[in-house]
């Protein structure tokens, strides 16, 4: 069953287009993670936070990615990572044009 | 600029298919909100929570919907609504196959 993973963490920047340039290679690598379907990159510059919302094919893939990404963030000095994994209500989401299968 | 709105709140159910039946009409009405693009319906039955992730065309639409939906939830007895509005990093999201324009 598809799972939605949300991650947020403190981030001092860069944001916007500068962030895009710095992290383009990482973004490309994320598309090759097992079970990965898509990621929306989220930013809240005023709060100095960044994160993402991901769709994975199943819970083990989402969990494995979360562990890998949390370790990567820790290696970059980000120690406070908030994450949640959600079930998706497929029937209601289809009515509201959600980008899921 | 497109904005992502996330909402979470305590919810005693119904979840899953029963929730779909009860809320199908509400789901249909949400698609007619100004600036609405899509909504993914999220559930965490083990935590007794429900919510959604929405894409809107712009921040005023997201804010207006949040106010309307918060009032609707309050009328149903849900007083604790957590909500955040995020910017989307379009360039990185395109690399990671995100369902945005």
């Amino acid at each position: 069953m598809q799972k939605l993973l949300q991650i947020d963490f403190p981030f001092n920047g860069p944001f916007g287009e500068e962030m895009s340039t710095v992290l383009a290679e990482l973004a490309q690598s994320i598309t090759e993670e097992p079970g990965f379907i898509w990621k929306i990159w989220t930013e809240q510059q005023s709060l100095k936070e960044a994160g993402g919302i991901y769709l994975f094919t199943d819970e083990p893939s989402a969990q494995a990615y979360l562990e890998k990404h949390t370790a990567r963030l820790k290696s970059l000095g980000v120690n406070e990572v908030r994450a949640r994994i959600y079930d998706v209500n497929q029937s209601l989401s289809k009515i509201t044009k959600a980008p899921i299968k």
Side-chain angles (χ1 to χ4, degrees), chain A:
Chain A
M1 199 200 302
Q2 289 184 351
K3 297 280 177 174
L4 207 71
L5 166 66
Q6 179 177 33
I7 300 177
D8 280 305
F9 50 85
F11 189 66
N12 286 319
F15 292 93
E17 281 309 307
E18 196 182 342
M19 184 188 182
S20 307
T21 305
V22 174
L23 296 180
E25 196 172 332
L26 172 62
Q28 189 57 50
S29 79
I30 288 172
T31 65
E32 288 155 26
E33 294 290 347
F36 174 89
I37 300 175
W38 53 249
K39 173 184 181 181
I40 299 173
W41 294 65
T42 54
E43 304 184 17
Q44 286 187 295
Q45 189 161 359
S46 60
L47 298 179
K48 293 201 170 181
E49 289 195 356
I53 294 172
Y54 303 71
L55 189 66
F56 280 92
T57 53
D58 57 274
E59 181 147 18
S61 297
Q63 284 284 3
Y65 176 79
L66 174 57
E67 284 170 31
K68 180 175 180 175
H69 197 54
T70 301
R72 177 162 50 208
L73 288 166
K74 282 206 170 140
S75 76
L76 298 170
V78 179
N79 290 308
E80 184 198 344
V81 176
R82 292 186 305 284
R84 296 181 76 176
I85 293 177
Y86 297 95
D87 288 328
V88 174
N89 187 302
Q90 298 277 341
S91 302
L92 291 171
S93 296
K94 275 175 195 160
I95 296 173
T96 53
K97 309 176 183 177
I100 56 176
K101 276 171 199 165

